Amino acid sequence: MTEISRLPGPVMDLWEWQYQGSCRDADDTLFFHPEGERGSARRRRAEAAKAICHSCPVLQQCREQALRIREPYGVWGGLSEDDRAAILADPRRAQAV
């Protein structure tokens, strides 16, 4: 479960960047895997979501936020759940967050 104390407060300046995300008009099911999705279907869906992230003007803010709050689900900032877990598991990479 996400650690609530790490979530941003109700100050619009902290999350207003989300309005500029390339994903705002995309189908959210592309960014979150359905129950039981595995293997190549999951990889294809995640890669399609990451392709949207690739040209996003707020990619860095989204990625930093997802890593900072340890977002457990979905593709955020061009990183899947597994990508984020690998970054956070590596002390050298996690320090950069």
Side-chain angles (χ1 to χ4, degrees):
M1 181 178 248
T2 301
E3 175 65 36
I4 296 205
S5 66
R6 296 180 194 187
L7 294 173
V11 178
M12 185 140 175
D13 292 342
L14 294 177
W15 53 267
E16 189 172 25
W17 57 267
Q18 292 179 1
Y19 286 115
Q20 300 168 23
S22 296
C23 61
R24 284 206 30 99
D25 296 323
D27 182 359
D28 61 345
T29 61
L30 186 61
F31 294 87
F32 299 94
H33 67 84
E35 187 69 34
E37 182 184 53
R38 304 237 187 307
S40 62
R42 187 168 182 171
R43 278 191 302 279
R44 284 191 306 273
R45 183 201 40 77
E47 290 304 318
K50 289 177 181 184
I52 292 172
C53 295
H54 181 72
S55 62
C56 183
V58 294
L59 171 81
Q60 196 60 38
Q61 294 99 314
C62 185
R63 180 174 291 179
E64 289 170 1
Q65 175 71 10
L67 290 167
R68 186 172 32 259
I69 67 167
R70 299 178 185 270
E71 178 60 56
Y73 305 110
V75 173
W76 293 86
L79 299 174
S80 68
E81 296 132 348
D82 294 337
D83 297 334
R84 291 190 302 278
I87 290 169
L88 293 169
D90 183 344
R92 295 168 302 184
R93 292 173 77 186
Q95 282 181 340
V97 174

